[in-house]
Amino acid sequence: MAWFKGNTHTHTLESDGDSPPEEVATWYKENGYDFLVLSDHNVLTNPAILSHIVDETFILIPGEEVTSSFEDSSVHINGININTLVIPQTAETLVGTIQKNVDAIREVEGAPHINHPNFGWSFGAEELAQVENNRLLEIYNGHPAVHNNGGGDALGLEAIWDYLLTRGKRIYGIAVDDAHDFQTIGRDHSNPGRGWVTVRARSLDAYEIVTHLEEGLFYASTGVDLDDIRVSDRRLEIRIRQRGNFKYLTRFIGAGGKVLSETPENPAVFELRGPEVYVRAVVYDSGGWRAWVQPVFTASN
């Protein structure tokens, strides 16, 4: 098994990005990514038109940001590895609208992931708890207007994730850059390279990559790299790739978002005792970057 780095949420001139698909795909290939999903709004870009970029080190996975709404709420759900364009769906309720779009992606054999709940403060944990058959949720998005940390009475994306996990949802957290701006770089622009996933798989194959995403066989990151994640019945061990003289802190988090323990050690180890509903981890480095390790569900859950 190897690790493959990729981004599942990116835009081009086919919708509201500033660069053509070829330039966008080339940026990711030249910057060390192994796979990319071009996810334009209600547009499916056929990877075959960019076949000259694809090789044994880099693949394109077909995708679309299915873009709908309910009243003033935006409903954006990525469909990845879809086999045809998905038409946005609407319903009589917000939850119904989210669910119908998840179902529409499943109907074309794609994997849905729900995007940036706090974009426009569109929906929150209570609505997401009612959605079925979705396993992926953005917990970090590099767009400057998505409010990753929440605000006021609105939960941040990690807190939403913990709310869902605590209530028995088996859902995995992804990081994306949601890049739109390749020509202008700056804090107020949605630039590439701000968030990604690294998936464990036997080969660089679209079906296997997406299947393993939905099985939680990956970590999400804004800049921390991991060498290995080892899980047994009794132990979660995280081996962090040392970068220069950076220091690290790993927090192990359980039900309700409670910090179960933290350690500066590498590898970082948590002994599973059984009563936890789940245990996930966040690795922080001294430069401000993070990596999110997917939840381990204990036998009691």
Side-chain angles (χ1 to χ4, degrees):
M1 299 278 272
W3 292 103
F4 298 102
K5 177 181 177 178
N7 183 40
T8 62
H9 191 167
T10 308
H11 295 275
T12 78
L13 281 172
E14 294 298 308
S15 60
D16 56 349
D18 70 357
S19 299
E22 181 170 1
E23 287 186 18
V24 170
T26 299
W27 187 95
Y28 287 92
K29 183 176 182 179
E30 291 180 348
N31 282 274
Y33 287 70
D34 302 299
F35 67 90
L36 174 67
V37 178
L38 296 175
S39 58
D40 282 303
H41 296 282
N42 300 331
V43 173
L44 175 61
T45 298
N46 184 352
I49 69 172
L50 299 172
S51 60
H52 56 290
I53 297 176
V54 173
D55 57 26
E56 68 276 4
T57 68
F58 182 78
I59 65 170
L60 292 169
I61 299 174
E64 170 194 356
E65 185 167 15
V66 182
T67 304
S68 184
S69 63
F70 175 79
E71 296 180 349
D72 294 331
S73 296
S74 298
V75 176
H76 294 188
I77 304 174
N78 273 18
I80 55 178
N81 210 25
I82 54 178
N83 57 34
T84 190
L85 183 72
V86 177
I87 304 302
Q89 304 294 305
T90 58
E92 295 181 354
T93 65
L94 176 55
V95 172
T97 300
I98 299 170
Q99 187 67 64
K100 284 189 71 173
N101 284 284
V102 166
D103 293 344
I105 292 165
R106 290 289 186 199
E107 286 172 6
V108 298
E109 301 180 355
H113 73 62
I114 294 177
N115 298 344
H116 45 56
N118 287 344
F119 178 63
W121 309 109
S122 292
F123 48 88
E126 292 183 5
E127 289 82 11
L128 288 172
Q130 300 174 63
V131 176
E132 302 295 335
N133 208 19
N134 180 77
R135 286 187 171 266
L136 299 172
L137 172 70
E138 287 184 358
I139 57 164
Y140 176 86
N141 181 304
H143 194 291
V146 301
H147 310 295
N148 290 309
N149 296 326
D153 60 353
L155 296 177
L157 302 189
E158 275 196 77
I160 290 174
W161 190 22
D162 283 314
Y163 180 98
L164 299 174
L165 292 170
T166 301
R167 283 152 182 79
K169 290 284 188 181
R170 296 219 171 193
I171 194 161
Y172 302 108
I174 59 177
V176 302
D177 59 30
D178 193 3
H180 292 66
D181 303 318
F182 292 80
Q183 306 303 319
T184 305
I185 306 300
R187 177 179 176 180
D188 295 331
H189 294 273
S190 187
N191 298 135
R194 291 178 175 170
W196 60 84
V197 291
T198 303
V199 183
R200 176 176 272 162
R202 289 180 294 272
S203 63
L204 186 56
D205 170 79
Y207 177 81
E208 183 161 350
I209 291 292
V210 174
T211 298
H212 285 201
L213 277 170
E214 291 212 290
E215 292 175 352
L217 299 177
F218 70 97
Y219 67 90
S221 182
T222 62
V224 174
D225 293 317
L226 305 180
D227 282 326
D228 201 8
I229 301 167
R230 301 180 182 181
V231 180
S232 68
D233 290 341
R234 298 182 179 180
R235 183 181 176 96
L236 170 58
E237 179 179 318
I238 302 165
R239 295 181 176 267
I240 306 161
R241 186 174 305 162
Q242 183 65 47
R243 178 183 175 192
N245 66 351
F246 278 49
K247 293 182 179 293
Y248 299 91
L249 178 70
T250 301
R251 287 187 178 137
F252 294 94
I253 298 168
K258 180 181 178 181
V259 176
L260 303 174
S261 72
E262 62 181 38
T263 178
E265 299 298 320
N266 184 16
V269 175
F270 184 84
E271 301 294 339
L272 299 167
R273 298 173 179 85
E276 307 93 352
V277 177
Y278 66 90
V279 178
R280 65 178 185 87
V282 187
V283 182
Y284 304 84
D285 78 9
S286 52
W289 311 114
R290 285 172 286 174
W292 293 267
V293 174
Q294 301 308 309
V296 175
F297 299 97
T298 64
S300 60
N301 184 29

